[in-house]
Amino acid sequence: MEGLSALSLDALTSVAYGPEAIIVVLALAGASALHLVLPVTVAIVVLLALLVFSYRQVIEAYPQGSGAYAVSRDNLGPRASLLAAAALVVDYTLTVAVSIAAGTQTLTSAFPGLASATVPICLAILGLGPAPYQDRAQHLPHGSSPPQRRGRYRPGRRGGAVRAT
């Protein structure tokens, strides 16, 4: 379960705008479509459960840590891994863009006077950006190494996990 918090970032950021987007789209379709909120919500919950199940399998097969690129490279080949890498770049870019836009929309709805400054606010938030990644190893006492993860499985060649010996 260690990897789920990092791997489910998309699900966490979607919570900020997903439910509202469902209601807005269904409301635009008309009041008769609002009865679809519950089925759509159930479908999303089922998809998230499948995602968690899938992530758990990846974590079990790759306890040392791997992402979509490495997993697809090992199991599907180099072409599939490049497709996965491209999809991840688009996903990460859109996650940041939508999160910034949703946050800015919330800010400008709370302070309507800022509505004319929507784009500069988005650019300012984007300019703040994340702090540079710092390797945890540089924060360890001199001469020590980071703790190693222990797993039941290790990655196999093109076929998934192999029981560790």
Side-chain angles (χ1 to χ4, degrees):
M1 290 291 273
E2 293 175 9
L4 286 179
S5 59
L7 293 172
S8 60
L9 179 62
D10 287 339
L12 294 174
T13 58
S14 298
V15 171
Y17 55 86
E20 178 189 6
I22 293 170
I23 299 293
V24 168
V25 169
L26 292 176
L28 289 174
S32 62
L34 287 178
H35 74 281
L36 297 173
V37 171
L38 185 60
V40 169
T41 303
V42 169
I44 290 171
V45 169
V46 168
L47 287 174
L48 285 174
L50 288 171
L51 184 69
V52 168
F53 178 72
S54 173
Y55 282 157
R56 288 181 62 122
Q57 288 180 324
V58 170
I59 291 167
E60 190 172 301
Y62 294 85
Q64 78 284 358
S66 280
Y69 175 79
V71 172
S72 61
R73 184 189 63 225
D74 288 353
N75 295 292
L76 302 172
R79 283 185 173 235
S81 64
L82 292 176
L83 181 62
L88 286 170
V89 168
V90 171
D91 178 47
Y92 294 154
T93 302
L94 290 176
T95 296
V96 170
V98 170
S99 296
I100 289 173
T104 302
Q105 181 184 12
T106 302
L107 182 66
T108 57
S109 69
F111 302 101
L114 296 175
S116 62
T118 299
V119 173
I121 292 170
C122 286
L123 292 174
I125 293 171
L126 185 61
L128 294 175
Y133 177 77
Q134 294 186 2
D135 188 10
R136 289 185 213 159
Q138 64 182 293
H139 299 291
L140 294 172
H142 182 68
S144 63
S145 60
Q148 299 297 317
R149 287 187 181 169
R150 295 178 183 226
R152 241 173 80 194
Y153 292 86
R154 62 179 169 79
R157 294 186 46 98
R158 285 199 188 266
V162 181
R163 190 166 291 282
T165 54

